[in-house]
Amino acid sequence: MSVPQDDARYREVDALPPGAQGLPALLAALKDHSWRVRRLAAERLAALEPTPDIIAALVTLLSHRDETGARNAAAGVLAQLGLPAVPAVSALLQHADPDQRKFAADILGELQRSEATDALLAALRDPDANVRVAAAEALGRVGGPLARRALEGLLTSPEVMLRVCALNGLAALRAPPSLPTLLPM
């Protein structure tokens, strides 16, 4: 059930002028405690021309650990922006914080763009297991011959989760491994 204040903030976001004039207010609305306000702001942001400034602001929101709703909304918008978001999100795979790197791999998987393949392949060697698993999952969503070969290579990984992700990814790509490959597993 929404409260009157939530409805008022929703109407404020809904009344924002179209285009970049409303950008600061839309970015602020991603931090709203109401999921309806965040969702509307995310929809409006995803409809804007994906400029480097918008993408940079969304990537910055990903680092706000204490604002889960804003982080998730920003990730969702980045995943909708398509190819223009790939370079900035790929660069996030180099962040010092493994949480940021995992978030980047997840978003790249949602983007499903082959341009992210090289960055995801590199992330398979990340020191953090969660990042490696997220990269493997993302490769299964991105697809393509390089992703398929990498996933096939993970079938012999000593890490169980990477093998499971590889199997799931190959199944999603409709490229199941041969029975002799599966038997040792």
Side-chain angles (χ1 to χ4, degrees):
M1 181 166 91
S2 66
V3 294
Q5 299 89 348
D6 293 351
D7 290 336
R9 288 191 316 281
Y10 183 92
R11 285 191 300 277
E12 286 173 16
V13 171
D14 195 35
L16 288 171
Q21 308 100 306
L23 182 60
L26 289 173
L27 290 169
L30 288 182
K31 298 177 184 179
D32 198 278
H33 72 269
S34 167
W35 68 269
R36 290 180 61 234
V37 174
R38 288 192 310 269
R39 183 184 67 194
L40 179 61
E43 289 170 0
R44 296 289 169 89
L45 284 164
L48 294 175
E49 179 71 29
T51 66
D53 289 342
I54 291 172
I55 292 168
L58 292 167
V59 167
T60 298
L61 276 175
L62 297 177
S63 67
H64 294 195
R65 284 182 175 271
D66 57 335
E67 298 188 41
T68 304
R71 292 176 81 195
N72 290 337
V77 174
L78 285 165
Q80 293 179 57
L81 294 181
L83 181 59
V86 170
V89 177
S90 294
L92 196 56
L93 285 170
Q94 304 303 314
H95 197 281
D97 182 358
D99 184 49
Q100 295 294 297
R101 298 192 308 269
K102 183 199 176 301
F103 230 149
D106 291 340
I107 295 166
L108 291 171
E110 290 294 320
L111 281 164
Q112 297 182 352
R113 299 293 308 210
S114 62
E115 295 84 355
T117 301
D118 289 340
L120 290 168
L121 291 172
L124 291 175
R125 296 183 302 277
D126 194 276
D128 187 87
N130 289 325
V131 176
R132 291 190 301 275
V133 166
E137 289 174 340
L139 285 167
R141 297 190 65 151
V142 169
L146 291 174
R148 190 190 84 247
R149 280 195 297 278
L151 292 172
E152 289 169 346
L154 291 176
L155 292 173
T156 59
S157 171
E159 295 180 69
V160 173
M161 282 306 297
L162 284 178
R163 291 194 310 261
V164 169
C165 289
L167 285 170
N168 285 337
L170 289 168
L173 297 174
R174 293 194 161 92
S178 66
L179 187 57
T181 303
L182 289 175
L183 284 176
M185 298 175 93

